[in-house]
Amino acid sequence: MLPTELLMFRVKAGLVEPRRLKPTAQNLALAETLIGAFEAHIGKRRFELDDELRTLEAGRQDFKVLRGLAHLLTNLGTFEAAGPVEPGVVRARVFELAQAGVPSRRTTTLVLEQAGRSLGLERPLSPDELTAALYADLPDQQTLVAFEPPAPLELIHRYDLAQAQGTLYRASELVITARRNEPARYKQLLKYLKFFGLMATVEGDANLGFTLTLDGPASLFGQTTRYGLSMAKFLPALLHVTKWDLSATLKPRRDLAWVDPADTEWSFQLTSEDGYVSHYAPPQEHDSALESGFTERFAKLDTPWQLEREVDLVPVPGGVILPDFRLVQGERSVLVEIVGYWRPEYLRKKFELLRKAGRRDVIVCVSERLNLERAGVDPSDFGDRVVWFKGVLNPKDVLALAERYAVRDGE
């Protein structure tokens, strides 16, 4: 992400529009030049790289764009203190020896020579090497030891996304409307919500869409932007979900002279069709080998039922259910949830949510290898809508229940 001073945006009638870079030949050339500068400075100290970046920046009207691109590239590099000895060890030894004499140029040289010989290395460090090692852990003295160069277009995509993320730094509320999607996408979405400490309420249905409202803790209503930062980190995960709209309520920037003092609230709008690209890894199509195997075996059957991976969110009190599959035949459908190998606390939560849902059109497939009694789970709440299996889940067993418990659309 980008620091606040490198964010570029405009505000029209209270609507914030973050800066985006077009992948023109000029912008791609700038990105390629910057990437090349970082690659050329692998093994060199950071201040040398900073000097090169300042040279590239000189006289450019778009210097702020260059700084933003360079900041993102810096995050892709690894800077470490170079040298055979930790700087803290070098400093401790030099300062200890320096206390024995009166400070002078001659004493300094003698202390450095003595320290270089006393560090237990195969080859003593020279005074110049020791001087460089003294503060090699300071940011500008650290060495670029590794760098993962992106493609120029990828860097531009990262820049655009970072500008959109920065818009959310001052977000006080985030509302996302998501429609039918693959369960793996929804699961990743909710996983990141939890990972970044975001709290969401889920409302809606398959026809009108599901609305996720991200609301903050008490600190949200103070002067902190910490919760907004969490929302910003969450944005790349949202990009892996299709068919969504985002609306954010923002606190206006009071540190900018051009901001209208009468503005009390800004808005930021985003959709899945806006062309932003995520750098987070996409989720796997199947969460487990159980789901993958079930899909493969089902595909070999001759049946009028169709197996869908695109399943709706099922909001329940205290959470949300993301069924693994839906079986569809004409206007009839039934949801399928596979419970395989999980920890006891997960089993308790999973079955509690299923019970709260009160849905009669959910088939629960449970591995006999699970110790439900130890987990404190009683599957009798689901009657004969439970399919027990040992190692392999037989699709025919699931279809037998589907014929009995499928419901028509709208029921």
Side-chain angles (χ1 to χ4, degrees), residues 143-401:
T143 299
L144 179 60
V145 297
F147 175 66
E148 300 179 11
L153 182 58
E154 181 186 349
L155 178 58
I156 289 179
H157 286 159
R158 285 207 175 205
Y159 179 85
D160 289 347
L161 178 56
Q163 291 289 348
Q165 287 178 282
T167 304
L168 296 176
Y169 291 169
R170 301 182 66 80
S172 59
E173 184 183 65
L174 202 63
V175 179
I176 301 168
T177 300
R179 292 169 180 83
R180 292 185 64 184
N181 215 307
E182 299 175 14
R185 305 303 192 203
Y186 283 135
K187 289 178 181 177
Q188 187 189 40
L189 182 64
L190 295 179
K191 180 187 72 173
Y192 276 110
L193 283 174
K194 182 177 180 180
F195 179 80
F196 291 117
L198 298 171
M199 296 177 290
T201 56
V202 182
E203 299 177 308
D205 56 40
N207 296 323
L208 299 178
F210 289 92
T211 300
L212 290 81
T213 302
L214 280 62
D215 202 3
S219 61
L220 173 65
F221 304 104
Q223 299 301 312
T224 179
T225 59
R226 182 178 300 174
Y227 201 71
L229 287 172
S230 295
M231 291 181 178
K233 293 176 182 178
F234 158 76
L235 181 58
L238 178 61
L239 296 179
H240 286 304
V241 180
T242 57
K243 304 176 184 177
W244 53 264
D245 303 297
L246 176 150
S247 177
T249 302
L250 313 175
K251 302 175 183 177
R253 289 273 301 274
R254 299 301 182 190
D255 58 320
L256 301 176
W258 54 266
V259 172
D260 188 344
D263 286 356
T264 59
E265 186 177 276
W266 286 347
S267 176
F268 175 50
Q269 308 292 325
L270 196 64
T271 77
S272 53
E273 285 73 47
D274 284 338
Y276 287 97
V277 179
S278 176
H279 55 276
Y280 287 4
Q284 299 179 351
E285 182 180 359
H286 297 284
D287 285 352
S288 68
L290 281 173
E291 295 177 16
S292 177
F294 179 75
T295 302
E296 293 174 0
R297 287 186 293 276
F298 188 91
K300 298 176 182 179
L301 296 180
D302 181 12
T303 174
W305 289 90
Q306 294 186 3
L307 186 68
E308 291 187 352
R309 285 288 297 174
E310 293 189 350
V311 181
D312 300 316
L313 291 166
V314 180
V316 299
V320 62
I321 297 175
L322 300 168
D324 297 310
F325 299 100
R326 170 185 279 106
L327 285 170
V328 180
Q329 182 187 25
E331 297 181 352
R332 303 170 67 218
S333 66
V334 65
L335 302 176
V336 179
E337 178 73 18
I338 301 177
V339 184
Y341 310 99
W342 297 97
R343 299 182 303 274
E345 56 270 24
Y346 176 88
L347 289 174
R348 283 192 294 271
K349 182 177 180 181
K350 170 71 73 175
F351 277 90
E352 179 64 16
L353 290 176
L354 289 170
R355 186 185 61 78
K356 287 182 178 179
R359 299 278 294 258
R360 300 292 300 173
D361 60 337
V362 179
I363 297 173
V364 184
C365 306
V366 185
S367 171
E368 293 183 358
R369 298 177 180 178
L370 296 176
N371 191 337
L372 298 184
E373 183 178 352
R374 177 186 173 189
V377 172
D378 183 5
S380 64
D381 290 339
F382 307 97
D384 54 3
R385 290 182 290 118
V386 177
V387 174
W388 296 94
F389 66 96
K390 291 185 178 179
V392 174
L393 175 58
N394 191 335
K396 293 182 180 179
D397 295 337
V398 179
L399 287 175
L401 290 185

